[in-house]
Every structure is written in C-alpha cells, then in structure tokens.
Amino acid sequence: MIADRLVEAASSRPRRIAFADAADPRVQTAARWCAQRGICHPVLVTGSSQLDESALDDLAADGVHALHVHNCEQRTYEHIMQRRSGKGLAAEDARLLAADPLYAAGTLLADARVDGAVAGALSSTPDVVRAALWTVGMAADTSVVSSFFLMAWPDKHLFFSDCGVVPEPSSEQLADIAWSAAENYRRLVGDEPRVAFLSFSTRGSAAHPSVDRVRTAYDRFHAKHPNVSADGELQFDAAFVPDVARRKAPDSPLTGTANVMIFPDLNAGN
C-alpha cells in the first residue's frame, strides 16, 4: 500500500534520479520500470566497459539516459578537491575517485543536475556512505549519518533505525538517529512518528550502562523535540503490543503503538 502511494506521488512530480550501480541487471530493470511508468527520469551513471553500445541503445529506447563518468570526470574531480583537499586528500587520489560512479552521482546531486541518487546494489554500505559524505555531506541539523529500514505490512508501517551504519551509537547519536528516522517517517509514510527507544529493559526493569545510554538518549530527544511522541527505555513488546504496554508501561504515551523503533546498536537492529 505504501509503495503504491509513493509511486503515485513520485509520478505526479517525476525527478531526475542517478543510479550509480549501472552494471547490475537489477538496476537496469528498475530504471526501465521507473521510466516506463513515469516514476522518475532515470540516469544510469556508468563506468568504463560497464555497458556496451547495444545495451545503451536498448536502455535509451526505454527512456533511460546513460551518463559515462568520463563526461563528468573533471567536474567530479574539482568538486571532491574543493571539499576534501583541506582534509588531506591528495590530487592523485581524487582523480581515482572521480572515475567512480558513486562520486560522479554524488557530484551530480550536489550540483543539482539530478534530484536524487540510488546506490548499494553492488557497492558496499561504507563506500556508499563515504561517497555521499564527501560529495553531498550531512544535513545541518544532525551530527551523525544513519540508516532506516521501512518495514511494510498491509495495515502498518514501521521504521527500524539504525540498522546499517553506526555500530555502537552514543546517547547523543541515538537521539539524532531518532530525529532523522522520525522526520523521514513523516515524509515517506505521511503519518506522525511515534518513537520508541528500545532496550532489554522497560522503564528501569534492569540496570546496566547500556540501559542508561538508551534512557539518556530518550531524555535528550524529548528535551529537543517535546512535540514528538516518544518513550524509552522500552522492550520491543512494550513498544509494539498494546496489551503488553498496559502491563509493563501503563503510563507510556506510546500505548504499545510505536512506529519508529530506535535500536541501541547494530547487533540488536540486525
């Protein structure tokens, strides 16, 4: 249901989206699918020998534009040097990065030549995150890069965060992760976030430094964003099952109906 709604919303305002893992047949299929349905204007950012002329012609016939990194390599190099030379990046290393579709796609986004970029089908998470940081950077109101997973059922949608980037977040990082996830939940799902800071403890049922870290994260979050419904620390069942919430956390504002689950670390999230 949420996929249908997102497709409908995207189709009403199709944007140029760069796909950095163009060598993956799944990416090519997805780009064709998006182009044929008017969901976006896909741009495959290709590296050396990734796609031959015949494949490019077939993609073009389906409305998929391809851009070789060579055609934007100089601009990518200049952009990376502008952002990273002061932090010790050597010119020869920047030249190598400029030939990488991840950095080319990021530079296209930074220059507003595309409206978004998709990567990760072939590229590793660290490579994708590093390229995004070095070409686009973080939002001004956050201190940490994080991820969220959208878990969709026919009758509900949950966000799980962070399950992909920060192994052992601090209390401050957990609070920022929660804010990023909550804002993205509001944008994508179109509903108000209800944020649960998860732990193996509910409201002091166990004592441990990791529990203190989650509780402090909730306190930080609530102080900065008092209008967002949130609670912590909570076990998952107390955050998600109303009957359990009534027993374990009867005064919780979430009442067992949390939709943004903030995990204490990557082990728990995964």
Side-chain angles (χ1 to χ4, degrees):
M1 292 171 64
I2 188 172
D4 292 341
R5 193 170 75 248
L6 290 173
V7 165
E8 182 180 356
S11 300
S12 68
R13 299 175 61 193
R15 300 301 196 214
R16 288 173 61 83
I17 305 297
F19 290 80
D21 292 317
D24 191 326
R26 297 171 299 171
V27 172
Q28 297 167 31
T29 299
R32 281 193 173 97
W33 191 87
C34 289
Q36 290 167 351
R37 288 160 179 79
I39 297 170
C40 71
H41 304 298
V43 179
L44 293 184
V45 183
T46 68
S48 56
S49 304
Q50 285 188 338
L51 295 171
D52 58 28
E53 290 299 323
S54 175
L56 292 174
D57 289 342
D58 289 344
L59 288 164
D62 290 328
V64 179
H65 178 68
L67 176 66
H68 197 284
V69 291
H70 177 72
N71 294 325
C72 54
E73 193 167 352
Q74 181 61 28
R75 171 55 190 150
T76 304
Y77 166 77
E78 293 170 354
H79 181 67
I80 296 171
M81 285 297 293
Q82 180 183 9
R83 290 181 58 87
R84 302 299 302 185
S85 61
K87 299 182 180 180
L89 181 66
E92 57 268 27
D93 293 328
R95 284 288 181 195
L96 293 174
L97 294 177
D100 186 330
L102 285 175
Y103 289 83
T107 301
L108 291 171
L109 181 56
D111 287 345
R113 294 177 60 188
V114 297
D115 303 292
V118 177
L122 294 177
S123 306
S124 69
T125 298
D127 286 344
V128 173
V129 171
R130 188 179 302 109
L133 279 172
W134 287 17
T135 58
V136 179
M138 290 193 296
D141 59 350
T142 188
S143 66
V144 62
V145 174
S146 59
S147 70
F148 62 85
F149 294 173
L150 169 57
M151 316 299 286
W153 287 267
D155 60 339
K156 65 175 64 73
H157 310 98
L158 301 182
F159 267 25
F160 287 1
S161 187
D162 169 27
C163 302
V165 181
V166 187
E168 295 181 346
S170 65
S171 294
E172 181 179 6
Q173 288 175 324
L174 275 174
D176 270 0
I177 287 167
W179 174 243
S180 296
E183 283 294 281
N184 279 298
Y185 185 91
R186 184 180 285 113
R187 291 190 186 104
L188 286 178
V189 179
D191 196 4
E192 286 302 304
R194 299 172 60 79
V195 182
F197 288 79
L198 300 179
S199 173
F200 62 84
S201 169
T202 294
R203 296 292 192 84
S205 64
H208 191 270
S210 65
V211 176
D212 295 338
R213 178 168 54 88
V214 173
R215 190 179 301 124
T216 301
Y218 163 71
D219 290 340
R220 285 176 177 270
F221 180 89
H222 182 64
K224 291 179 68 175
H225 313 290
N227 295 326
V228 179
S229 181
D231 198 10
E233 84 283 7
L234 295 172
Q235 293 163 288
F236 189 94
D237 57 355
F240 187 64
V241 183
D243 286 346
V244 176
R246 281 191 286 271
R247 295 196 306 272
K248 289 187 174 182
D251 59 342
S252 173
L254 299 179
T255 64
T257 59
N259 49 35
V260 178
M261 305 296 187
I262 305 303
F263 289 86
D265 55 50
L266 289 195
N267 282 322
N270 277 271

